[in-house]
Amino acid sequence: MKEFELQPSTSEVSLNLDAELNDEQRRVVLEGDGPCLVLAGAGSGKTRTITYRVAYLLGQGIPAEQILLLTFTNKAAREMLSRVEDILGHEPTGLWGGTFHSVANRILRRHADKIGYTSSFTILDSEDQKALLKGVIKEKGIDTKNRRFPSPAVLLSIISYARNADESIEDVVERQHEPFTDLIPTIFEIAKEYEQKKREGNAMDFDDLLLQLLRLFQEHPSVLRGYADQFRFILVDEFQDTNTIQASLIRHLAGIHRNLLVVGDDAQSIYSFRAANIQNILGFKDWFPSPKIFHLTKNYRSTPEILQVANHSIAHNLHQYEKALQATRAAADRPSYVPATSSEQEAEYIAQQILALHAEGAPLSHMAVLFRSSFHSQQLEMQLTKRNVPYEYRGGLRFFERAHIKDVVAYLRLLANVRDETAWMRTLGHQVGIGAVTAQKIYHVASTGEDLADVVLRALEIEAMLSVRAKAGWGSFVKTLERLLGRTGVADTIRAVVASPYRDHLEMEYPDYRERLEDIEQFALFAEPYDSLDDFLAEVTLYDGFGAERPPRDANEDRLVLSTVHQAKGLEWDAVFVMRLHEGGFPHKRSLEDADAIEEERRLFYVACTRARTHLFLTSPLASGFDTLMFHQPSTFLQELPKALLEEVRLKRAEAPSRRRRAGWGYDEPTIVLDANGETVSVPPKSLLRSVDEL
């Protein structure tokens, strides 16, 4: 005999809301009709609340196809739909759930003919976009070989930001890419032609999916009416991250039934550089008169002591919804504030404290070090490598693997060894009008020179064998070499590279050129103790090759996480270190004169703190650099906190046998250990500052 199990209908599913949700969450689920703003603090269970709201609606007999759930990532969409399925016991067939872009694609496939496309339109990825832009540049006869011109990646960043923020190209260039102001008319024409090419090719990029959907709704009100009528209930996750176009789409779709429930946290709005507009959440009350406003403030992640720090910090922002996270966990230790004499000592403390926690049984993967800017990790990476601590770098490459650092090293290698073919090919590859074949010609002549100075003396001889286009690039390259030859110290030589036409290369090639320049300055600071270029290159090469020589890591290997704060949003760890908390570091120096920017930096600090479950360490170097010390004030965000909220850790000096300075690691830094009483002690370094107490 066979058996067939009958599944209950959605309306028959019983939701035990009293047992599964707290009072705040339950109110949202039961009372979330009409325009609703849910202010969901960090760790407050917003995903759980949204999924139960969807399950509740289905349980009330609302057809699945009348519910629209919008998220920002495919991962979030899959997680929410999976949770709804777990609650119901079966798949909610017909439910519209996904990212803004996936939902837009679904609608556009049905109505593409109304806006001049076919239903089989192509979606371009970033590589496709850059290839198309290269074609446009070539067709317009723009000579990128004899003069510097923004790369396709930079052009895309300008065009995309302008479209998503609903701003003009002129405004974006003047604010974000001032060196290109004289190119604004050309960039505008390229953007115009790029749009035309996509249309002719029946293709859309990711920005088009949203913009063309908005156009469809605006030009064909009947289509909009159909979807606005269909979606009786609309739920939006991470509303604080929406841009102007996404907000407009939401308003259009919610125009009939007005059952719009948006969930977000203005205190976690940190993506303005991606055109996210915090005014969407702050101004939600202007969209609909008298919306319902719910607060999810019970935090299930962090200890009360960590939340006190986060609450006190964010309270200093003027433009926000006031709220305070409430802990559900038991009291624990206060977060630690660790002022260090230098950025090197800061990195060493973090590395040794991590090892101490690991020795007590904490897995490395349950710990993370967060920083404001990617270059902040350099000295810590060196310390972790010295101690053989495995780590993964989230959101980018390790410091010495970054292209611009390798570029600078290539210039230094030319100084050390004029016969270094790889260095010649890499550095010549940046020059206008010089391709691989021409670079080989130059190398064959240059490699016969005694040194780089000899090559510069023979510059005219090499120029004579080059084409007109290549001569311009060679002339620029020689100017760079002359700058290098005029410097003595390794650090000064690195800075000479940045002061050369190589800087123009960075600005033209990379949308994030400012961050790359900061990386190179950090590299120069690292180089300051070195008198010998050969010693420096050997140290860097050994470090760079260290990871490459190791066997492939097991995917399940226990590894520490290093991450920028932006990449860490939505994640959590038992122990979190937030480093480089000094003025100009965190907050970033570009924000110090801008009230709106400093508020976003404070939100970023809030996000960093609320990633921690049990242990939070806030570290601040009072100086950075090597031979040239730069002194810092502790971060505004530290100074704003009541001292009673933090446990200050002073790095005391302990007597130890003198150690010979190890070439390649700068001045000996303190070895920080824990004594029998649990106090942090350290071996004195050779430093101008012997102790924090001296300041």
Side-chain angles (χ1 to χ4, degrees):
M1 178 181 293
K2 294 182 179 180
E3 291 184 352
F4 184 87
E5 185 175 327
L6 293 173
Q7 299 294 328
S9 66
T10 300
S11 59
E12 293 173 340
V13 173
S14 176
L15 303 178
N16 191 356
L17 301 181
D18 289 338
E20 298 295 335
L21 304 174
N22 65 36
D23 292 342
E24 296 174 337
Q25 296 167 337
R26 191 163 50 251
R27 278 193 60 220
V28 175
V29 170
L30 297 176
E31 303 172 23
D33 296 348
C36 298
L37 171 60
V38 182
L39 297 168
S44 63
K46 71 176 179 64
T47 300
R48 186 178 191 81
T49 304
I50 294 172
T51 52
Y52 266 91
R53 171 65 180 169
V54 173
Y56 173 78
L57 291 173
L58 293 169
Q60 294 299 300
I62 304 299
E65 62 272 15
Q66 294 182 9
I67 299 173
L68 173 63
L69 172 59
L70 293 169
T71 67
F72 268 83
T73 66
N74 290 313
K75 179 182 177 183
R78 288 193 297 268
E79 180 183 359
M80 288 191 182
L81 294 176
S82 175
R83 288 197 190 186
V84 171
E85 183 176 349
D86 290 342
I87 295 169
L88 297 176
H90 60 88
E91 183 181 355
T93 306
L95 175 67
W96 282 60
T99 64
F100 281 86
H101 293 90
S102 66
V103 170
N105 175 61
R106 185 173 175 182
I107 296 175
L108 288 170
R109 295 288 177 188
R110 296 179 174 182
H111 308 284
D113 60 310
K114 294 184 182 297
I115 52 173
Y117 293 84
T118 72
S119 60
S120 60
F121 64 81
T122 299
I123 299 177
L124 305 177
D125 63 19
S126 61
E127 292 304 312
D128 298 328
Q129 291 176 274
K130 285 186 278 190
L132 193 58
L133 269 174
K134 284 181 182 177
V136 171
I137 292 169
K138 186 174 181 180
E139 286 182 13
K140 285 197 163 293
I142 297 172
D143 187 359
T144 60
K145 295 192 179 291
N146 288 329
R147 59 167 294 188
R148 294 287 185 188
F149 193 78
S151 69
V154 172
L155 291 173
L156 279 175
S157 73
I158 293 170
I159 294 168
S160 179
Y161 188 95
R163 301 177 84 200
N164 283 288
D166 197 20
E167 295 183 13
S168 69
I169 284 177
E170 180 179 6
D171 288 343
V172 174
V173 170
E174 288 180 347
R175 188 173 64 254
Q176 298 184 4
H177 299 274
E178 191 176 351
F180 305 159
T181 50
D182 62 321
L183 297 175
I184 287 174
T186 305
I187 295 173
F188 179 81
E189 287 301 315
I190 289 173
K192 186 177 177 182
E193 184 66 21
Y194 171 65
E195 296 304 316
Q196 183 62 30
K197 287 282 186 183
K198 287 185 293 180
R199 281 186 170 281
E200 292 173 355
N202 192 38
M204 297 187 197
D205 58 27
F206 273 76
D207 295 336
D208 286 320
L209 292 175
L210 303 183
L211 289 162
Q212 294 299 342
L213 179 59
L214 184 59
R215 176 181 162 221
L216 173 68
F217 288 164
Q218 291 171 338
E219 295 181 2
H220 300 276
S222 61
V223 175
L224 170 61
R225 244 187 338 265
Y227 287 101
D229 187 52
Q230 174 185 338
F231 297 133
R232 289 176 57 192
F233 293 90
I234 300 174
L235 302 92
V236 183
D237 186 28
E238 301 287 6
F239 185 62
Q240 77 280 349
D241 294 334
T242 53
N243 61 37
T244 301
I245 306 304
Q246 291 162 333
S248 184
L249 287 171
I250 294 168
R251 286 198 296 269
H252 277 78
L253 287 170
I256 293 179
H257 297 295
R258 296 162 55 85
N259 288 317
L260 172 63
L261 187 142
V262 299
V263 182
D265 183 5
D266 56 293
Q268 297 187 72
S269 179
I270 58 174
Y271 295 120
S272 65
F273 65 93
R274 295 181 188 167
N277 187 353
I278 192 175
Q279 291 306 316
N280 290 340
I281 190 168
L282 294 180
F284 183 77
K285 290 181 288 187
D286 299 329
W287 288 18
F288 302 99
S290 304
K292 297 177 186 175
I293 298 181
F294 301 91
H295 291 80
L296 300 184
T297 57
K298 289 187 177 179
N299 178 284
Y300 294 90
R301 175 187 302 158
S302 306
T303 64
E305 292 75 16
I306 292 173
L307 295 185
Q308 282 185 321
V309 168
N311 288 335
H312 273 84
S313 177
I314 201 65
H316 287 83
N317 272 7
L318 298 177
H319 305 293
Q320 65 165 319
Y321 291 100
E322 292 186 10
K323 55 189 170 299
L325 295 177
Q326 304 169 46
T328 58
R329 294 185 55 189
D333 295 334
R334 288 179 293 170
S336 296
Y337 164 50
V338 188
T341 58
S342 67
S343 52
E344 282 186 288
Q345 189 189 69
E346 174 192 44
E348 189 165 6
Y349 164 75
I350 292 172
Q352 293 207 20
Q353 182 65 72
I354 285 167
L355 288 173
L357 290 171
H358 187 50
E360 293 172 2
L364 291 174
S365 59
H366 290 199
M367 295 181 271
V369 184
L370 307 182
F371 30 84
R372 171 61 180 84
S373 301
S374 59
F375 71 89
H376 289 164
S377 69
Q378 184 256 337
Q379 289 176 348
L380 178 61
E381 290 186 59
M382 300 293 286
Q383 293 292 337
L384 295 173
T385 300
K386 285 175 68 175
R387 291 165 174 77
N388 200 27
V389 177
Y391 68 91
E392 61 174 299
Y393 194 103
R394 296 279 178 88
L397 296 171
R398 298 181 179 209
F399 189 82
F400 288 104
E401 295 171 356
R402 297 168 193 168
H404 44 292
I405 298 300
K406 287 180 174 289
D407 290 344
V408 173
V409 170
Y411 280 104
L412 298 180
R413 283 164 53 185
L414 288 183
L415 275 173
N417 176 16
V418 76
R419 295 182 179 85
D420 189 329
E421 182 177 0
T422 305
W424 276 106
M425 298 304 288
R426 187 177 188 102
T427 53
L428 287 171
H430 303 147
Q431 312 310 315
V432 173
I434 297 179
V437 174
T438 303
Q440 279 288 350
K441 281 184 184 179
I442 294 173
Y443 166 69
H444 285 309
V445 176
S447 61
T448 63
E450 293 184 9
D451 53 27
L452 202 58
D454 187 35
V455 174
V456 171
L457 289 174
R458 298 169 61 189
L460 292 178
E461 174 191 338
I462 294 174
E463 181 181 324
M465 68 182 206
L466 302 178
S467 67
V468 174
R469 284 186 170 182
K471 284 179 180 178
W474 174 247
S476 174
F477 184 65
V478 170
K479 289 179 182 177
T480 300
L481 299 185
E482 289 173 340
R483 282 183 175 272
L484 302 187
L485 290 169
R487 303 301 175 98
T488 53
V490 180
D492 283 348
T493 305
I494 291 173
R495 293 187 176 104
V497 175
V498 175
S500 76
Y502 178 71
R503 182 190 181 103
D504 299 331
H505 166 75
L506 289 181
E507 291 184 4
M508 296 296 176
E509 287 295 318
Y510 302 109
D512 61 345
Y513 75 94
R514 291 187 182 91
E515 286 73 18
R516 292 171 187 260
L517 290 172
E518 289 174 339
D519 276 358
I520 296 173
E521 174 57 24
Q522 183 65 36
F523 193 41
L525 290 172
F526 169 69
E528 284 185 342
Y530 293 83
D531 298 321
S532 166
L533 178 59
D534 289 336
D535 287 349
F536 178 76
L537 288 173
E539 186 70 25
V540 169
T541 304
L542 288 172
Y543 175 85
D544 199 17
F546 180 84
E549 293 168 7
R550 294 184 66 185
R553 295 190 188 278
D554 185 332
N556 297 318
E557 181 184 14
D558 187 28
R559 286 179 284 176
L560 174 72
V561 173
L562 270 58
S563 175
T564 62
V565 183
H566 285 103
Q567 288 289 331
K569 185 172 176 290
L571 304 175
E572 59 186 75
W573 295 270
D574 286 338
V576 169
F577 296 77
V578 186
M579 65 183 299
R580 289 296 186 97
L581 282 164
H582 62 77
E583 291 294 273
F586 196 173
H588 194 282
K589 60 186 177 184
R590 289 199 298 269
S591 70
L592 297 179
E593 303 300 324
D594 184 332
D596 289 338
I598 202 71
E599 289 211 350
E600 180 158 341
E601 291 288 301
R602 190 176 286 107
R603 294 194 292 270
L604 196 61
F605 177 67
Y606 173 88
V607 168
C609 292
T610 53
R611 299 311 93 198
R613 289 191 283 253
T614 305
H615 304 290
L616 176 62
F617 301 88
L618 307 175
T619 66
S620 176
L622 303 184
S624 61
F626 293 81
D627 289 347
T628 304
L629 285 178
M630 294 183 296
F631 294 94
H632 305 298
Q633 288 291 326
S635 169
T636 295
F637 309 142
L638 291 174
Q639 297 181 56
E640 291 170 345
L641 296 173
K643 291 184 178 180
L645 297 184
L646 302 173
E647 182 72 35
E648 184 169 345
V649 177
R650 290 187 174 269
L651 305 182
K652 299 180 180 178
R653 302 302 179 186
E655 294 297 329
S658 61
R659 296 181 297 166
R660 181 170 57 88
R661 175 181 173 183
R662 178 187 172 204
W665 287 102
Y667 294 105
D668 286 344
E669 286 300 308
T671 301
I672 302 164
V673 296
L674 300 178
D675 65 16
N677 297 320
E679 288 287 328
T680 303
V681 297
S682 53
V683 175
K686 296 176 182 177
S687 170
L688 295 177
L689 290 174
R690 294 191 300 274
S691 168
V692 173
D693 296 328
E694 293 186 4
L695 297 177

